[in-house]
Amino acid sequence: MAESAIITRVFTAVQEIPAQAWNELLARQPVPTPFMRHEYLAALESSGSATLETGWQPCFITLWAGEELVAACPLYAKNHSSGEYVFDWAWARAYAEHGLEYYPKAVIAVPFTPVPGSRLLARDAALRALLAQTVRRWVQAQDGWSSVHALFTEEADLAACRADGWMQRGGVQFHWNNQALDAAGPRALRDFDDFLAQLQQEKRKKIRQERRKVAAAGVTFRALHGAQIETADWDFFYSCYARTYYEHGNAPYLSRDFFARLGAQMASHWLLFIAERAGAPIAASLIALNAAAAEDAGASGGVAYGRYWGALERVDCLHFEACYYQPIEWCIAHGVAHFEGGAQGEHKMARALLPTPTASAHWIAHPAFADAVDRFLAREGAGVQDYLEELQAHSPLRAASPPAAQPQP
């Protein structure tokens, strides 16, 4: 497709882009997630959670061949660095120390959602490369914009950005895989005991102790999926979610209306665990599911994402049970292949969530600052690699048994 035949359009709201065209383009990508669906992004805007007023000004960049949407990305102009989880506060301070303005900047991201996945949606690699170039040129043309950052993206996007001269930055999250360590080869886990059997003895003992503490406190769980989650359940979840933020001195990023829209328009993508004691709910954790997991399609492609949690009462080890053990047990029972535990948290390794590299791409307009950031990222990247190797050397998994010797003929 000739570049001259492509038209660029910039939209100030995702609702201006046809939902079906967006979602069909997303489904073609290497790593589609429910957070990049049109419904999710529209809920962020319509609920007032991610808007100009909250510092997330939508500027969605799209490429069209006639009336066909062939490439698109969610781009936001920002006057702060909150809600991103790829931290660039030091870059902003360096700008300020030199009398320069770091904001506004642009981010290609899902607001408040540090989940790796496709960000540059395109029909093919050539259009993805063109989209990266178009974004960079568009940001470059804006008066006073310092930079553009593609956050928690994947390899196809990174390749397109690297080809256009963007810099790459690494990070680490902790993810769990539904896989046993049998000598005969990998297989899906059978149950939670099978999961425990894959761990070193001290880790198995610790998890059993933590689960016993929750059970001894009289806490039980209900798992609700999709349409099973009623309005009263969403209300209770939100009270827990909001309380967690307020206890840390912050207002919640997301509104109750945001979750109402998700429940109405993306019901199958949500799994809610409610902890109860003496018949009353006391805590909740919300898990997102990709399309395969939402359809209970087995371990071939199912992914669950740990997202939000909160509690109205304090119970020892309740967080671990609600946010790790209950979701992992559910994933095993439903053949889900992968569970992502969210941003940061070395403590997750003791629960068999293993270190997993993440990546972002960055373009800086100021040549001298771009050079300084590039040098910083080279040093930081070496540190991240050392950190990954150190974590991997302390895996909670037991060593796989060697294959049995075959009898000689």
Side-chain angles (χ1 to χ4, degrees):
M1 189 179 299
E3 183 175 337
S4 60
I6 302 298
I7 298 172
T8 301
R9 296 174 182 162
V10 181
F11 294 92
T12 57
V14 72
Q15 292 97 323
E16 298 171 357
I17 304 171
Q20 181 176 348
W22 179 280
N23 287 339
E24 288 178 353
L25 191 60
L26 173 63
R28 300 171 64 102
Q29 305 313 303
V31 190
T33 73
F35 312 103
M36 281 287 291
R37 287 186 62 85
H38 191 278
E39 296 91 335
Y40 190 92
L41 298 170
L44 286 168
E45 292 179 11
S46 299
S47 67
S49 300
T51 63
L52 173 62
E53 289 71 27
T54 60
W56 293 81
Q57 180 182 354
C59 307
F60 281 45
I61 309 293
T62 64
L63 303 181
W64 300 76
E67 296 302 311
E68 181 184 7
L69 180 66
V70 295
C73 68
L75 185 139
Y76 297 87
K78 295 201 65 193
N79 56 21
H80 58 69
S81 291
S82 298
E84 299 172 14
Y85 302 92
V86 174
F87 303 110
D88 61 352
W89 303 105
W91 303 358
R93 286 195 299 271
Y95 265 70
E97 289 168 359
H98 287 79
L100 300 173
E101 295 292 336
Y102 188 66
Y103 305 107
K105 65 173 185 176
V107 297
I108 302 170
V110 181
F112 322 117
T113 310
V115 176
S118 297
R119 297 289 181 262
L120 301 177
L121 313 185
R123 291 187 65 86
D124 56 39
L127 285 165
R128 186 174 291 106
L130 178 59
L131 179 59
Q133 295 169 18
T134 301
V135 168
R136 188 257 307 159
R137 292 168 181 163
W138 188 83
V139 170
Q140 200 169 13
Q142 306 308 303
D143 185 24
W145 289 31
S146 71
S147 51
V148 59
H149 313 263
L151 307 181
F152 294 101
T153 190
E154 51 77 44
E155 182 51 42
D157 292 350
L158 292 171
C161 291
R162 284 194 298 265
D164 192 50
W166 300 35
M167 296 170 282
Q168 184 172 327
R169 188 179 193 185
V172 179
Q173 288 187 354
F174 296 86
H175 299 173
W176 169 84
N177 291 307
N178 184 353
Q179 189 173 90
L181 302 174
D182 286 356
R187 62 167 175 81
L189 295 164
R190 292 184 289 267
D191 52 31
F192 200 84
D193 284 338
D194 194 20
F195 159 69
L196 290 176
Q198 311 306 309
L199 305 181
Q200 297 171 10
Q201 182 179 4
E202 62 178 291
K203 301 299 190 294
R204 293 198 300 270
K205 181 179 178 181
K206 183 178 181 66
I207 291 173
R208 288 187 174 118
Q209 289 174 338
E210 290 173 345
R211 301 201 83 183
R212 278 198 298 268
K213 287 180 180 179
V214 175
V219 177
T220 59
F221 280 84
R222 289 189 296 128
L224 306 171
H225 176 216
Q228 295 173 332
I229 309 174
E230 299 180 352
T231 299
D233 301 316
W234 282 110
D235 288 340
F236 175 72
F237 156 75
Y238 193 78
S239 68
C240 295
Y241 160 78
R243 179 166 177 163
T244 298
Y245 273 85
Y246 287 127
E247 285 179 347
H248 289 85
N250 300 305
Y253 285 135
L254 303 171
S255 67
R256 174 65 181 89
D257 182 54
F258 168 75
F259 291 103
R261 293 172 185 273
L262 296 188
Q265 299 169 14
M266 295 180 60
S268 66
H269 290 280
W270 299 101
L271 172 65
L272 180 65
F273 292 98
I274 295 181
E276 297 178 329
R277 182 159 63 178
I282 64 168
S285 67
L286 185 66
I287 310 298
L289 305 171
N290 75 345
E295 296 164 6
D296 198 17
S300 59
V303 183
Y305 310 88
R307 298 306 308 129
Y308 311 106
W309 116 283
L312 305 185
E313 296 183 18
R314 296 191 181 276
V315 175
D316 194 17
C317 299
L318 181 57
H319 173 261
F320 302 140
E321 182 69 31
C323 296
Y324 307 129
Y325 306 145
Q326 289 289 323
I328 287 173
E329 196 162 24
W330 190 92
C331 287
I332 294 171
H334 293 79
V336 175
H338 193 68
F339 173 61
E340 299 187 8
Q344 293 118 27
E346 289 182 14
H347 66 277
K348 296 170 185 173
M349 275 194 70
R351 283 90 199 170
L353 280 77
L354 302 181
T356 304
T358 62
S360 55
H362 308 264
W363 178 83
I364 309 292
H366 194 291
F369 269 95
D371 184 58
V373 168
D374 192 35
R375 294 195 303 272
F376 164 79
L377 291 179
R379 296 191 302 272
E380 184 188 57
V384 169
Q385 184 59 40
D386 290 343
Y387 176 58
L388 266 171
E389 292 174 2
E390 180 182 356
L391 290 172
Q392 290 163 353
H394 294 85
S395 171
L397 302 179
R398 63 173 176 80
S401 301
Q406 298 297 315
Q408 296 298 314

